[in-house]
Amino acid sequence: MTIQAQFPKEQTEEGEFKRQEDSFRDWVTADGTSGYPAAHGRYHLYVSWACPWAHRTIIVRKLKHLEPVIGMTVVDPIRDDRGWAFRDGPGHSTDPINGFTVLSEAYQSTDPTYHGRVTVPVLWDKETKRIVSNSDDDIMRMFNSAFNGLTDSTVDLCPEELREEIDRLNVFLYENVNDGVYRAGFATSQKVYENAVRSLFEALDSLESRLSTQRYLFGTRTVETDWRLFVTLIRFDAVYHGHFKCNIRRIVDYPNLFGYLKDLYQDEGISDTVNLDHIKRHYYITHDDINPTRIVPLGPDQDFHAPHGRDHLE
């Protein structure tokens, strides 16, 4: 029997999912030396509530009070053969900036020779009418510092004194947790799947231990790494546990991780960035090779507003 990979161009012969590299890596800077100066209203963010990579940028935009500075349009969570599309519906809309019907038009407008997979997030420059970046890593860093002159927020999610440690833990999280769930879910061989799941839960076990003695990953303050982890944890029990077969344990089974998840969720404005309806419908309907019936489960019933019990940790 032939097993169909979710993204055949990103699948090895051994059955391992190898995510494509980001293709657009220009940079917005405060002084404009990059050719893209930080400016009020110049840039627009195309995202999906469902996508964890896009979710990271939505969170930083929220925490840095950049909503009046950088506009945002949300695509339909149901991705079809044409890719991410702009349609009116609950929590998503048509494109008010360019009138694009599908996000691939933004990619083709920027580079007519582009043949890779079309992904979110996309940071669009309305002046040059092209994509600045489709790298969530870069967009998070841009939002954290490049627009400081246009916001009243003093939040710094990547302080210089922690940057080396942040970068190191980011890599660990990406390889084992953030992308780890996809390496498990998109695996097309038993061995590859089992290796990914074991690495994932070894990482979650180590994070559970780390969070037993401190409130956040680096102590008493949140940094970008916390939000990188958050977007995976908030989707885990609803999607990755069942849909991606990451079912050794749930996040709710980890006292520290689940408390940490609730703690982050209850941070001001964060719940506004979480749309579990979009999340569940995207995964269970779009990935019809994994879920051929396209039935979306009702659960789990979890209360992220319940007390998190982590105020005492330093």
Side-chain angles (χ1 to χ4, degrees):
M1 181 180 71
T2 302
I3 300 174
Q4 177 64 45
Q6 188 65 37
F7 300 114
K9 292 181 180 179
E10 297 168 64
Q11 206 80 7
T12 69
E13 292 183 2
E14 294 74 27
E16 184 177 2
F17 174 60
K18 292 283 191 181
R19 188 177 298 276
Q20 69 177 19
E21 296 293 324
D22 298 320
S23 297
F24 302 95
R25 302 290 297 271
D26 287 324
W27 205 276
V28 176
T29 55
D31 61 9
T33 53
S34 64
Y36 295 97
H40 192 289
R42 175 167 173 167
Y43 303 98
H44 197 79
L45 190 63
Y46 290 126
V47 296
S48 166
W49 295 120
C51 172
W53 318 106
H55 193 180
R56 298 168 166 190
T57 65
I58 298 170
I59 287 173
V60 180
R61 176 176 174 266
K62 170 72 73 173
L63 294 175
K64 293 291 294 185
H65 301 170
L66 290 173
E67 284 126 317
V69 178
I70 301 164
M72 187 176 84
T73 300
V74 180
V75 295
D76 189 332
I78 310 303
R79 193 180 63 220
D80 58 23
D81 291 341
R82 300 187 306 156
W84 297 108
F86 297 100
R87 304 183 186 96
D88 281 324
H92 57 92
S93 72
T94 53
D95 173 24
I97 303 302
N98 298 294
F100 294 146
T101 58
V102 288
L103 188 59
S104 60
E105 293 176 75
Y107 280 71
Q108 290 299 310
S109 294
T110 304
D111 179 4
T113 67
Y114 182 77
H115 296 295
R117 182 159 56 90
V118 172
T119 61
V120 285
V122 162
L123 185 64
W124 178 264
D125 178 17
K126 294 191 288 184
E127 186 168 305
T128 61
K129 300 188 183 304
R130 60 183 293 110
I131 294 172
V132 178
S133 178
N134 71 334
S135 166
D136 60 283
D137 299 321
D138 295 353
I139 295 171
M140 289 179 78
R141 294 278 170 98
M142 287 182 235
F143 285 3
N144 183 59
S145 60
F147 294 86
N148 279 350
L150 301 171
T151 176
D152 61 356
S153 172
T154 59
V155 169
D156 185 0
L157 297 172
C158 193
E160 186 64 37
E161 67 272 16
L162 292 176
R163 188 156 301 175
E164 186 175 331
E165 292 179 74
I166 286 172
D167 288 341
R168 187 161 50 246
L169 188 53
N170 285 351
V171 171
F172 172 81
L173 288 179
Y174 173 78
E175 293 178 349
N176 296 286
V177 180
N178 302 136
D179 201 47
V181 294
Y182 285 91
R183 294 178 191 185
F186 290 166
T188 53
S189 82
Q190 185 71 31
K191 180 180 179 181
V192 167
Y193 157 75
E194 289 184 7
N195 288 340
V197 169
R198 289 192 182 100
S199 295
L200 166 64
F201 281 95
E202 286 173 7
L204 290 176
D205 290 347
S206 72
L207 292 166
E208 173 73 3
S209 177
R210 182 181 184 124
L211 291 167
S212 67
T213 57
Q214 57 194 49
R215 186 167 180 178
Y216 305 115
L217 291 175
F218 287 92
T220 58
R221 63 181 294 184
T222 57
V223 298
E224 70 169 36
T225 317
D226 293 288
W227 301 111
R228 287 168 175 266
L229 179 56
F230 172 82
V231 297
T232 300
L233 297 183
I234 198 69
R235 289 162 173 76
F236 198 96
D237 291 0
V239 175
Y240 304 142
H241 179 269
H243 186 62
F244 280 174
K245 306 177 186 69
C246 300
N247 60 358
I248 293 178
R249 282 175 292 281
R250 304 164 300 169
I251 299 304
V252 74
D253 299 321
Y254 288 99
N256 296 314
L257 275 172
F258 190 55
Y260 166 80
L261 171 58
K262 290 185 289 184
D263 192 0
L264 292 176
Y265 181 87
Q266 292 168 29
D267 202 7
E268 185 177 358
I270 296 303
S271 63
D272 296 338
T273 74
V274 178
N275 189 320
L276 282 168
D277 171 64
H278 275 224
I279 289 168
K280 292 200 295 183
R281 286 196 293 123
H282 166 68
Y283 284 93
Y284 286 102
I285 294 176
T286 298
H287 299 160
D288 53 5
D289 291 320
I290 297 172
N291 184 39
T293 65
R294 306 180 90 194
I295 291 173
V296 180
L298 290 175
D301 183 11
Q302 294 178 332
D303 183 6
F304 298 114
H305 294 283
H308 54 73
R310 296 185 61 78
D311 291 314
H312 66 286
L313 293 170
E314 296 296 329

